[in-house]
Amino acid sequence: MLKVLLVDDEPFILQGLREIIDWEAQGFHIEATAENGLQAIEILRHTHVDLIIADIRMPQMNGIELLETIRKEKISDTRFVFLSGIKDFEIAQQAIRLHCTEYILKPVQKNDLLKLLNEVSSSVEKEHEEKKTSALMENAFYARSMVALLMGKYDSSDLENVQQRLGNATDLQYVGMEAENDSEYASMTDEEKRTIQRNLYRACLDFIGKDGGLYCIFGVSQRKGCYDVGIICCRELCSHLGMTSADFLEKLRSFVSQEVRHPILYYVGSQVQKLTELSESYRTATIAKTCRAFTVNHDTNLAENRMKSDSGTFSADKKIIDSLIDAVSANNKEAIKECVSKLYTRFRVNNVDEDLIALDMNYFLFHLIHLAIQQDDNINQEDILHYITENAFNTDGTYDNEKIFLNFVTEYSEYLASIRNRSVRGVLGQIEQEIQMHYADDISLKTLSEKYYLNSAYLGQVFKKKFGVSFKSYLTALRVEKAAQLLLTTDEKVYKVAEQVGYHDIDYFIDRFVELKGCTPTKFRRLANSTQRNKND
């Protein structure tokens, strides 16, 4: 029902307009009436209407002034029709210039009014359809641009389109969702799978609310047979919903499980700071999904079963992969190189399906986890998964780069060799001793990882797990503590103290000292000396 505001200083005119036709039958409702332009302005400030019918000549504010005020102050862009008993061409010109919809004479004839309302109704309907079509096109373009960002294949237009609607969002994480591929799902038709996907998408929109379309993407993956939904979780969205990111994920799962009558698989990417880094979050989410099934909670037989084709026979590449596993276990670099070459040659020559390649590789990665655990049963399989996801895959989460894969396998065999000779706990003990002895030297996670044959990313993970802080924070705290001791026990100048603990940039040293001690080195020394004098007195 379209809403109408009638404006005229003559009560009988207003009454006549009310009764001349059946407004409701025409799809209109008289929302309000006003005696002059000032009253109409007040009504419009808090009431939306679709049509204004106003007299031109009124006290306090006439119809022309009313329309001028509405347009100038952008109070409303609704349709405006003038009523007048005077055939005044100049007034008609003013009305047209102010984008008046129509200009009709008093006394108003029923047929003229019906014709006007029919035209307004048709115009509004056409405008709504145009807006709907435009919104669909804009949403489709936005979704395409968001997918381009996630895939890392975007241009400036894609980035600008997303930024215009999402702003400079921060603390972003990609959350992927799709139906669990259980036996029930495997037997479904494509249409039934698509229905689950639609229900999942609607549930995500309902969970987020009116802005859901900005953060939910229907069908992110480009792979055939994948019916997924993606959500871009960010600080601004969580703040709007009054949740932390952890709360968001937990409550999302709970809500979706109630709305969608099928188990849902969730896979979450690493957190990134900018929209331009979203592809990294999507990449790690995809890898997390891939690695999810290949942990020690499953046995070797299950991994092998996953390698079987529909005919029940093993993939033709299993023999090569088993030889590669043996080569990695023995740290035989020549055999590793030969097996990887054979494997990728088979992929190329036989044009192996992407899904079968994924099965082969997942079988291999599953065994890599077991190899590490066989060497050290205290090792955390989550750390191994992190190491694998950081090194085994291309940036898009695939395996088609032979060189990247060979480098990863070679490095992993070195890693296995290192943990055969010492446990991670023993390595960390040695590293801790080295830091205590050489904290003032140019020491870094990279140099330590090279010395002890560990991947730097993995070493950083296990170091933080043991000491509760990152390597950088640990080293900074140790250096500042040593500096504090020197300030209390020597008369060395501050810049000399800084050099003795490993800092050659005095400003950087002071900033770190203030961060941890709450005051500058000079003030720290002065306060300590003052306290000591008071004790002596």
Side-chain angles (χ1 to χ4, degrees):
M1 196 70 69
L2 300 179
K3 298 179 181 180
V4 182
L5 170 63
L6 301 178
V7 189
D8 200 300
D9 61 322
E10 298 182 44
F12 70 90
I13 295 292
L14 291 176
Q15 185 63 28
L17 285 172
R18 282 181 176 277
E19 297 178 357
I20 191 172
I21 60 169
D22 184 347
W23 291 82
E24 302 283 334
Q26 303 304 316
F28 289 81
H29 171 70
I30 298 177
E31 186 71 13
T33 60
E35 295 180 2
N36 55 59
L38 290 178
Q39 285 186 9
I41 291 293
E42 288 304 310
I43 292 170
L44 290 171
R45 290 194 189 280
H46 57 78
T47 304
H48 166 76
V49 298
D50 300 288
L51 173 64
I52 301 171
I53 301 178
D55 191 13
I56 289 184
R57 297 186 180 274
M58 295 181 293
Q60 296 184 308
M61 178 184 282
N62 64 36
I64 296 293
E65 292 169 336
L66 168 61
L67 183 53
E68 284 178 333
T69 302
I70 289 173
R71 299 299 189 233
K72 183 178 180 181
E73 297 184 14
K74 298 181 180 179
I75 297 170
S76 173
D77 59 356
T78 191
R79 291 157 180 78
F80 200 105
V81 174
F82 276 124
L83 295 177
S84 179
I86 303 172
K87 296 182 180 179
D88 192 324
F89 182 68
E90 185 177 337
I91 293 178
Q93 283 184 314
Q94 283 184 280
I96 293 169
R97 191 172 62 253
L98 292 169
H99 304 291
C100 169
T101 302
E102 188 58 85
Y103 179 94
I104 57 179
L105 294 174
K106 295 180 180 178
V108 178
Q109 301 298 312
K110 178 178 180 179
N111 288 339
D112 291 342
L113 186 56
L114 288 173
K115 181 182 176 182
L116 169 68
L117 296 184
N118 183 58
E119 291 173 353
V120 169
S121 182
S122 298
S123 175
V124 169
E125 184 177 352
K126 181 180 178 182
E127 185 178 289
H128 284 174
E129 286 300 317
E130 289 175 349
K131 285 183 178 179
K132 184 178 178 181
T133 301
S134 177
L136 288 173
M137 291 178 65
E138 287 178 5
N139 290 340
F141 181 41
Y142 173 79
R144 191 202 67 80
S145 295
M146 182 60 81
V147 170
L149 282 173
L150 290 169
M151 299 300 167
K153 299 176 181 178
Y154 62 92
D155 55 26
S156 58
S157 177
D158 292 317
L159 181 59
E160 182 181 355
N161 183 31
V162 173
Q163 285 178 327
Q164 283 178 349
R165 300 185 67 176
L166 206 57
N168 293 316
T170 56
D171 294 346
L172 301 123
Q173 275 183 294
Y174 177 77
V175 182
M177 291 166 284
E178 58 189 85
E180 283 275 16
N181 192 14
D182 54 19
S183 57
E184 179 189 356
Y185 187 77
S187 64
M188 290 182 181
T189 64
D190 287 345
E191 184 56 37
E192 288 171 329
K193 293 176 180 178
R194 183 70 75 185
T195 298
I196 293 177
Q197 184 186 25
R198 293 191 190 99
N199 292 339
L200 177 57
Y201 181 66
R202 279 194 290 268
C204 292
L205 292 177
D206 291 342
F207 176 74
I208 293 174
K210 64 172 185 168
D211 294 326
L214 294 180
Y215 303 97
C216 301
I217 309 100
F218 183 89
V220 177
S221 174
Q222 307 299 306
R223 294 184 63 184
K224 182 181 178 181
C226 182
Y227 301 96
D228 65 339
V229 172
I231 286 185
I232 308 302
C233 177
C234 61
R235 178 187 296 180
E236 290 72 16
L237 173 59
C238 292
S239 177
H240 172 69
L241 296 175
M243 305 176 188
T244 65
S245 58
D247 288 338
F248 177 87
L249 294 172
E250 183 179 342
K251 292 179 180 179
L252 173 66
R253 288 175 191 244
S254 176
F255 184 86
V256 168
S257 66
Q258 295 175 9
E259 299 296 316
V260 182
R261 300 304 177 190
H262 190 92
I264 300 298
L265 167 65
Y266 300 83
Y267 39 101
V268 183
S270 59
Q271 190 175 90
V272 296
Q273 292 305 307
K274 299 182 293 185
L275 285 169
T276 52
E277 299 170 346
L278 259 181
S279 59
E280 175 62 15
S281 187
Y282 177 75
R283 183 184 78 90
T284 52
T286 303
I287 294 170
K289 170 190 169 185
T290 302
C291 291
R292 173 178 174 271
F294 297 93
T295 65
V296 293
N297 296 326
H298 299 113
D299 58 26
T300 305
N301 290 333
L302 178 56
E304 291 177 345
N305 288 337
R306 289 175 180 272
M307 250 187 117
K308 289 183 179 180
S309 66
D310 291 338
S311 63
T313 59
F314 281 110
S315 161
D317 307 307
K318 182 179 183 296
K319 186 176 179 180
I320 299 175
I321 294 173
D322 285 342
S323 296
L324 179 57
I325 292 166
D326 291 339
V328 171
S329 180
N331 194 20
N332 186 333
K333 293 182 176 56
E334 286 301 318
I336 288 172
K337 188 174 181 180
E338 182 182 351
C339 289
V340 169
S341 177
K342 284 183 179 179
L343 188 62
Y344 275 83
T345 298
R346 285 187 63 84
F347 289 164
R348 287 190 293 269
V349 172
N350 298 328
N351 194 24
V352 179
D353 181 83
E354 185 178 332
D355 290 335
L356 287 178
I357 293 176
L359 282 174
D360 289 346
M361 291 302 188
N362 288 337
Y363 170 79
F364 173 65
L365 297 178
F366 170 81
H367 277 277
L368 290 190
I369 297 170
H370 278 269
L371 286 176
I373 293 168
Q374 287 169 4
Q375 305 300 328
D376 181 358
D377 57 9
N378 290 319
I379 204 162
N380 189 324
Q381 63 174 308
E382 293 299 324
D383 293 332
I384 302 299
L385 282 173
H386 174 79
Y387 173 63
I388 290 173
T389 59
E390 286 296 312
N391 295 277
F393 300 84
N394 299 343
T395 55
D396 60 357
T398 60
Y399 313 88
D400 58 9
N401 190 309
E402 181 178 345
K403 184 177 179 180
I404 290 176
F405 188 73
L406 176 60
N407 288 340
F408 158 70
V409 175
T410 303
E411 287 183 10
Y412 195 86
S413 68
E414 290 281 358
Y415 161 69
L416 289 176
S418 72
I419 61 174
R420 268 195 294 267
N421 298 324
R422 60 178 69 85
S423 69
V424 173
R425 185 177 303 170
V427 171
L428 288 176
Q430 294 178 51
I431 288 174
E432 184 180 20
Q433 273 189 332
E434 185 153 341
I435 295 171
Q436 292 289 338
M437 293 174 61
H438 301 287
Y439 63 88
D441 297 338
D442 187 16
I443 190 171
S444 69
L445 201 61
K446 185 175 185 298
T447 59
L448 289 171
S449 65
E450 290 173 351
K451 181 175 180 178
Y452 291 95
Y453 302 101
L454 290 171
N455 174 269
S456 59
Y458 174 66
L459 177 58
Q461 290 283 322
V462 295
F463 187 98
K464 186 173 183 180
K465 183 165 293 186
K466 177 175 174 60
F467 297 105
V469 293
S470 68
F471 170 83
K472 185 176 180 181
S473 297
Y474 182 96
L475 181 60
T476 299
L478 178 60
R479 285 175 168 176
V480 168
E481 198 57 46
K482 295 292 185 181
Q485 293 174 16
L486 289 171
L487 289 168
L488 296 178
T489 58
T490 72
D491 294 321
E492 291 280 9
K493 293 185 180 298
V494 171
Y495 79 90
K496 285 285 188 182
V497 171
E499 289 177 353
Q500 288 181 47
V501 299
Y503 290 108
H504 300 286
D505 183 332
I506 186 65
D507 292 332
Y508 184 81
F509 165 68
I510 291 173
D511 286 344
R512 301 289 75 74
F513 195 99
V514 171
E515 181 180 334
L516 293 176
K517 294 295 185 181
C519 63
T520 64
T522 302
K523 186 176 181 181
F524 177 86
R525 174 181 272 169
R526 187 172 63 249
L527 289 173
N529 290 338
S530 174
T531 302
Q532 187 60 44
R533 283 196 300 271
N534 291 336
K535 285 183 179 179
N536 294 337
D537 293 339

